[in-house]
Amino acid sequence: MSLLDPGTPWPLLPSLIGLLVAGVVIVFTGIRMTAVADEIADRTGMGEAIAGAVLLGATTSLPGLVTVAVGGLAGDAQFAFANPVGGILIQTVWLAVADLYYRRVNLEHAAASSQNLMQALVLLGLLAVPLIGFAVPDLAFFGVHPATIAIPVLYAGGLVLVRLLHDDPMWKPVVTDETVEDVPQEGSGASGRRLGVSFALLAVAMAVAGYVVGRAGLGVVDATGASGGLVGSTLTTAVSSLPELVTLIAAVRLRALALGVGDIIGGNVFDALQIAVADVFYREGPIYADAGASGLLLLAAGLLMSALLAAGLLLRGRRGIGFEGIAIPVVWVGAIVGVSSL
């Protein structure tokens, strides 16, 4: 038996060790990646919200992306589907955690950004598309559901909308004493090429860690007999979403608040795109037919939590913990309890 054989499940102990090691790599990589992305945002003028969505949002989602692909290729539909949707849930909870860390005022208030609000709305739209797959699960072309094809198209359209808002905003949030605006900071002096190479190497480390998380998660499923939906929505998503937590806290410490919030929402949008990846890599038919009730429950929770987040971004309460900071963790706990009971 070889740990390198893709067809051999890992035993429980190597799986747990793999999750631990991958988590450490993800944490340290995420810290460095935040600083590099912040400097790239200042150098290029793209803005923290877009840098958080495109650079951090995509690259910090690489562990989850590789985990999803591994689960799909292994034929575990519940595991492959639960990872991206469960990632959206737990990463949204990270915002409530960051609210506790940033004590001055409600984080969504301080990081007010029309681009982040637009991303939250795009996320709601992307999460609604898989519901079509659950409604007509047997509709497929070459093993891929039409809803899967629509997801990346809507994702690309959403990025265009976010860019339009940055270039030509038609409204802006009210600036208060607690609003932290996106003001370019003095950089490290590194060349643009060096920053790009550093970011690419960090992204590779994230992807390798994601492969370990995927194999280790499937090993836990095989060794314990737990459902792929439960392991995928809790254990592996907790590890693979560590970059979002780390980069969010690091961004708050740097007072790059729009970057941090943009990373979470942008990462969630990218995770919604991973639902399409799960369907493509799952070769036993459309994944919606086999994702089960746990997948549908997680999807509903994701829609509700994203709506709460969008409302919090729009309302911008001044208190450190607003209604969304309380309601979002409650919904997450309810969703996990529901999945564990199925």
Side-chain angles (χ1 to χ4, degrees):
M1 180 179 66
S2 171
L3 295 180
L4 299 178
D5 182 2
T8 303
W10 290 1
L12 183 58
L13 182 58
S15 296
L16 296 176
I17 294 174
L19 287 171
L20 178 62
V21 172
V24 172
V25 171
I26 286 170
V27 166
F28 284 98
T29 303
I31 293 173
R32 177 57 186 157
M33 187 172 280
T34 305
V36 175
D38 189 28
E39 188 164 351
I40 290 175
D42 293 339
R43 290 277 190 93
T44 61
M46 71 171 62
E48 288 181 354
I50 293 180
V54 178
L55 292 179
L56 283 180
T59 51
T60 56
S61 294
L62 281 174
L65 174 64
V66 179
T67 300
V68 168
V70 170
L73 288 172
D76 193 324
Q78 292 190 21
F79 181 83
F81 190 87
N83 269 278
V85 184
I88 292 171
L89 268 60
I90 198 167
Q91 286 159 197
T92 308
V93 172
W94 292 156
L95 282 174
V97 174
D99 264 337
L100 293 173
Y101 184 81
Y102 189 74
R103 298 176 179 273
R104 294 184 56 176
V105 73
N106 182 271
L107 185 62
E108 287 80 14
H109 178 112
S113 165
S114 58
Q115 296 102 293
N116 282 338
L117 180 57
M118 174 59 78
Q119 284 192 93
L121 297 176
V122 171
L123 176 60
L124 284 169
L126 287 173
L127 288 177
V129 174
L131 291 176
I132 301 172
F134 279 96
V136 281
D138 297 325
L139 183 62
F141 300 99
F142 302 103
V144 177
H145 199 282
T148 295
I149 300 172
I151 290 174
V153 174
L154 292 176
Y155 175 81
L159 290 182
V160 171
L161 293 177
V162 172
R163 184 68 197 188
L164 288 175
L165 270 178
H166 178 267
D167 294 340
D168 186 24
M170 295 302 294
W171 67 271
K172 295 182 179 180
V174 174
V175 177
T176 69
D177 293 339
E178 297 295 344
T179 303
V180 179
E181 298 189 75
D182 181 2
V183 178
Q185 305 293 322
E186 183 177 349
S188 64
S191 67
R193 180 179 180 180
R194 183 176 177 181
L195 287 173
V197 171
S198 297
F199 198 83
L201 291 175
L202 292 168
V204 171
M206 285 285 192
V208 173
Y211 175 79
V212 174
V213 171
R215 293 297 309 277
L218 290 170
V220 171
V221 171
D222 182 73
T224 64
S227 72
L230 180 60
V231 173
S233 61
T234 53
L235 183 60
T236 54
T237 54
V239 177
S240 61
S241 66
L242 280 175
E244 279 76 12
L245 176 61
V246 171
T247 53
L248 176 59
I249 298 300
V252 170
R253 293 184 63 184
L254 292 169
R255 288 185 63 78
L257 302 185
L259 179 75
V261 175
D263 171 38
I264 291 295
I265 305 176
N268 284 352
V269 172
F270 195 79
D271 279 0
L273 180 63
Q274 291 179 25
I275 297 174
V277 175
D279 189 29
V280 170
F281 278 85
Y282 183 70
R283 296 290 50 196
E284 299 180 23
I287 197 169
Y288 312 104
D290 298 326
S294 64
L296 190 57
L297 175 59
L298 292 170
L299 195 60
L303 282 164
L304 179 55
M305 292 171 67
S306 300
L308 289 168
L309 174 58
L313 289 168
L314 187 61
L315 186 62
R316 297 181 63 203
R318 291 180 180 270
R319 293 183 301 170
I321 296 293
F323 74 92
E324 73 281 6
I326 298 173
I328 285 173
V330 169
V331 174
W332 179 77
V333 170
I336 298 305
V337 171
V339 170
S340 64
S341 66
L342 292 176

